Amino acid sequence: LAAWALSGRPLLASGAPALALLALPATFVGSGFLYDFPDLFFVSVAMWAFVRHKWLLWYALLPVVVLNKEASVLVVAWWLAALGTLPRRALWTHLTASAALGASIVGALWWTFRAAPGAIAQYNLGPNLRYWRSLRWLFASDDLLGLGLTSPVATHVVILVLLLGAWAYGRRRVPRIVERMFVVSLLAVTPAVLLFGFENEVRVFAIAFPALFLLGVGAADASSRTIRA
């Protein structure tokens, strides 16, 4: 992905993924889950297939993405970011086909486990709204690695400022569709997080992570060019 977004910066494209992995603990609020790391891998490959128009890979990977984590069916929203970049008929055909495929996997999962104990979903809208109104998330910290050391979580004001800087500084250094996919991902996931997530459980924004990573790489590129100048 980084090599695609910044084709003229091979060293930066090679080193950036390792640095991004080091930043992942900021998303380990409360606990992590085994499927989180495969989820990041699958949605990253899916984004590469999407931006490179590798449609066979896209449709082959979509069921795997959804089977690994049902919420990642929201990658289908990326087609809205592609408005104006593909012929209208082709775009709506892909959007319809992707939505149908993703929905069929989710439906099949529901049908398979319909008799299992427990609720289909846990609704947390009330507690979540109270949490976000409290603004406690701006100064939240946690023992993210279980080592007895607290550090800021991803919603901490300092990290949010850094993320805003990465978006503002990096968006002009990467293809425009990257920023659009990031925004669409946030818009698609946020309502689901408010309804079904738990407070500042930012790991559920996984479909936005690949685009955010590229925005960060773009910001690093812009910064290095500024320093050299």
Side-chain angles (χ1 to χ4, degrees), residues 51-226:
V51 298
R52 296 298 304 272
H53 297 180
K54 306 291 185 180
W55 304 136
L56 183 60
L57 177 60
W58 166 262
Y59 285 108
L61 192 59
L62 184 57
V64 181
V65 171
V66 181
L67 285 171
N68 181 69
K69 184 178 178 182
E70 304 96 300
S72 291
V73 70
L74 293 175
V75 295
V76 172
W78 287 347
W79 288 107
L80 300 178
L83 286 170
T85 65
L86 291 172
R88 183 177 296 271
R89 183 174 181 179
L91 187 146
W92 288 107
T93 299
H94 280 302
L95 173 58
T96 303
S98 299
L101 179 58
S104 68
I105 300 299
V106 173
L109 288 171
W110 171 81
W111 179 261
T112 301
F113 297 102
R114 68 191 184 282
I120 296 176
Q122 180 178 341
Y123 298 96
N124 296 319
L125 180 60
N128 282 335
L129 290 177
R130 287 192 293 273
Y131 175 78
W132 290 104
R133 284 199 302 264
S134 73
L135 300 183
R136 287 186 289 123
W137 45 277
L138 284 172
F139 309 99
S141 60
D142 202 349
D143 182 7
L144 301 172
L145 297 178
L147 300 177
L149 302 173
T150 59
S151 56
V153 302
T155 58
H156 194 283
V157 61
V158 173
I159 294 182
L160 289 178
V161 169
L162 292 175
L163 293 178
L164 181 62
W167 170 75
Y169 209 41
R171 63 194 184 98
R172 299 186 186 281
R173 298 299 307 162
V174 295
R176 187 183 177 192
I177 195 171
V178 172
E179 181 187 17
R180 296 176 68 175
M181 292 177 75
F182 178 63
V183 172
V184 164
S185 297
L186 294 182
L187 293 176
V189 175
T190 297
V193 170
L194 290 175
L195 283 171
F196 309 115
F198 180 71
E199 295 184 351
N200 57 352
E201 195 178 20
V202 295
R203 66 183 186 82
V204 296
F205 284 93
I207 70 167
F209 285 6
L212 176 60
F213 161 69
L214 292 182
L215 290 169
V217 173
D221 178 54
S223 299
S224 67
R225 292 177 184 273
T226 300

